[in-house]
Amino acid sequence: MKNANECSPSVPDDLLLQHEIEVLEGILESKAQYRKVVKAAIGKWVKDFQSGHIEIKTVDDLKKLIELDIELQKDEL
């Protein structure tokens, strides 16, 4: 007779896998929300820059926002 463990994963393995899936889904959802915030901030920065409220000396802020957006997108490729 075959050992029951050879035919199907044990219950703890199933629970661990389910937990890992839920954690990954949570991370992906958080990243999607962070991207929305970053994209909105970039849009606001560009609008403020175009209206003259932001001078060239603050371009580093935009660079940081863009780098953050790119970092958040890495797993989407």
Side-chain angles (χ1 to χ4, degrees), residues 2-33:
K2 284 189 171 184
N3 186 341
N5 289 335
E6 292 177 16
C7 296
S8 63
S10 66
V11 173
D13 288 344
D14 290 344
L15 291 175
L16 179 60
L17 181 59
Q18 182 62 35
H19 174 72
E20 289 174 353
I21 290 170
E22 290 172 5
V23 168
L24 288 174
E25 287 173 344
I27 290 169
L28 292 175
E29 178 62 29
S30 293
K31 287 177 76 172
Q33 295 299 321

Side-chain angles (χ1 to χ4, degrees), residues 7 10 44-45 74 77:
C7 296
S10 66
K44 175 83 169 107
W45 191 98
K74 282 185 178 178
L77 297 176

Side-chain angles (χ1 to χ4, degrees), residues 60-77:
D60 190 53
D61 292 338
L62 178 61
K63 179 183 175 192
K64 289 176 185 176
L65 287 170
I66 292 169
E67 288 171 348
L68 179 57
D69 190 42
I70 290 169
E71 187 67 29
L72 290 168
Q73 291 180 64
K74 282 185 178 178
D75 290 339
E76 294 178 12
L77 297 176

